[in-house]
Amino acid sequence: MWSVLFIVMLAALAVLLFFHLFMFARLAFRKPTVEPDRELPVSVVICARNEARALERLLPRLMEQDHKEFEVVVVNDRSDDDTWEVLQWMKPDLPRLRPVNIQADERFNYGKKIALGVGLRSAKYPQVLLTDADCMPPGRDWISTMAAGFRNGRKIVIGNSPYDRSAGLTNLLERYDGTVKTMQYMSFAMAGAPYMGVGRNLGYSSELFFNARGPKHHGHLMSGDDDLFINEVARAGNTAVVADPRSFMTTRPTPDLATWWRRKRRHYTTAAHYRFLHQVLLLLLPLARTVFWAALVWLAVRGAWREAAIGLGAQLLLLQPITIVAMRRLGAGALAWCALPLEWLFLLLDPLLYASTILVKPKRWK
């Protein structure tokens, strides 16, 4: 006779099988390469604040893109370093560069959304790609590969922005967390339930942005300029996912654990504004993981080795291979083999992070 605890573990396992087989498997086993579109005119928009040195590295690489018609709009968002001077200095040698300046005003305190709106209004072309100053394309095909997502009338293109590899615990946590989050939002979108994208590698039509209610409704929030907008407007029929490695936009890693913790806390402020179905799915997944592992451990403690072995076998033979392949699709490399212990760690860390946002409200960006 099966115990109640074993039935609970099987129920949690069934939920995890649903996510892995019907969502994550799409990313793991679907062919990732696309045919680049080098003809579509594209505006690349970058919102930068105190990023002079990063722009000096990034802009020459963007200008080398193998794409027929594009521009790079850089919005200097109230920088107090020499960002604006650097942009003016670079402009004569970079004819595709269009600097836009926002002056600081002590009467107003606002986040990145205002700068994003200014950049989109300044864009010449209706199709826009977003990235950040601390990012770097993998080669000369980033624009064309992302632009391919706009085919067949798609209005939104969701891309991957992995963190650069460096030494230390912070980088390990950040790379794993970023890869798992990307695996989730890309897989959900492939399954017809897009709920977010990241502004470090994202495309959409400017018309879609200005017709949406989201930017107005969420203007008071410190974050969410990318994921809340996508959550507002993305649907199965208007959203494309590009998982081709040529489309990846690598991001500079966070320098220390405290900074990473602050960024993670800030991102938690937006999840409560997602559509209800997305909130349910995003709560159900970690809840099922927690219940599954708690039940499995308790079965082992009680000496129910056969029942515990069934759960562990399903995890190692069915769920884990899909996770590993999906993570490697996103450029995780050897990190994918550490997925299981890191999953356990984040089952403890994520509730702590969420609780901390309730006790102490996060501050605005930069």
Side-chain angles (χ1 to χ4, degrees), residues 84-274:
W84 184 244
E85 289 74 14
V86 166
L87 290 172
Q88 295 302 306
W89 167 68
M90 298 180 77
K91 190 176 186 309
D93 296 324
L94 305 176
R96 297 181 189 268
L97 175 63
R98 295 188 61 197
V100 180
N101 194 38
I102 298 179
Q103 295 284 354
D105 192 330
E106 295 180 356
R107 296 173 298 174
F108 300 101
N109 185 22
Y110 49 83
K112 185 179 176 182
K113 296 182 183 66
I114 298 297
L116 180 59
V118 170
L120 289 170
R121 286 186 175 88
S122 303
K124 183 192 304 185
Y125 304 118
Q127 277 74 36
V128 174
L129 293 178
L130 304 180
T131 191
D132 284 347
D134 59 353
C135 295
M136 190 65 65
R140 302 180 66 225
D141 295 325
W142 172 67
I143 291 179
S144 297
T145 310
M146 286 293 289
F150 287 110
R151 290 189 179 120
N152 302 317
R154 300 300 174 108
K155 301 293 184 182
I156 299 169
V157 184
I158 294 174
N160 177 28
S161 184
Y163 288 94
D164 252 336
R165 183 175 181 176
S166 64
L169 175 63
T170 300
N171 185 251
L172 181 69
L173 297 176
E174 183 172 55
R175 287 172 57 223
Y176 171 78
D177 185 53
T179 301
V180 169
K181 292 294 187 294
T182 304
M183 185 174 74
Q184 288 182 190
Y185 70 70
M186 280 191 161
S187 298
F188 277 45
M190 287 178 170
Y195 72 92
M196 69 164 283
V198 293
R200 304 189 306 273
N201 197 7
L202 182 65
Y204 49 74
S205 71
S206 55
E207 179 185 14
L208 190 69
F209 180 85
F210 291 117
N211 289 340
R213 297 174 300 163
K216 303 179 182 69
H217 284 184
H218 307 306
H220 64 289
L221 297 175
M222 67 198 68
S223 58
D225 48 281
D226 40 45
D227 56 341
L228 287 180
F229 167 66
I230 297 302
N231 195 262
E232 175 89 20
V233 301
R235 299 294 185 272
N238 70 356
T239 304
V241 173
V242 178
D244 190 311
R246 293 172 295 177
S247 72
F248 295 178
M249 180 61 84
T250 305
T251 303
R252 182 177 61 202
T254 302
D256 54 71
L257 191 60
T259 304
W260 175 76
W261 187 272
R262 287 196 299 271
R263 290 179 178 176
K264 281 281 292 178
R265 292 180 68 249
R266 190 173 68 239
H267 293 158
Y268 271 100
T269 63
T270 63
H273 299 273
Y274 288 171

Side-chain angles (χ1 to χ4, degrees), residues 4-80:
V4 173
L5 193 59
F6 182 60
I7 294 173
V8 168
M9 186 190 72
L10 289 181
L13 179 60
V15 174
L16 294 174
L17 281 170
F18 165 77
F19 280 102
H20 283 73
L21 295 178
F22 293 99
M23 292 188 174
F24 302 148
R26 297 173 188 268
L27 176 63
F29 303 117
R30 183 179 294 180
K31 183 180 178 181
T33 55
V34 299
E35 182 63 32
D37 184 343
R38 305 192 189 279
E39 301 295 324
L40 182 72
V42 170
S43 293
V44 178
V45 174
I46 303 169
C47 299
R49 188 174 186 189
N50 298 331
E51 294 283 9
R53 305 290 82 78
L55 289 170
E56 286 180 321
R57 293 189 296 270
L58 172 62
L59 291 178
R61 288 286 297 273
L62 287 179
M63 299 306 166
E64 296 172 353
Q65 291 291 296
D66 184 12
H67 196 77
K68 183 176 180 180
E69 187 66 33
F70 71 95
E71 63 170 355
V72 180
V73 179
V74 180
V75 181
N76 176 43
D77 186 14
R78 303 163 295 152
S79 298
D80 49 28

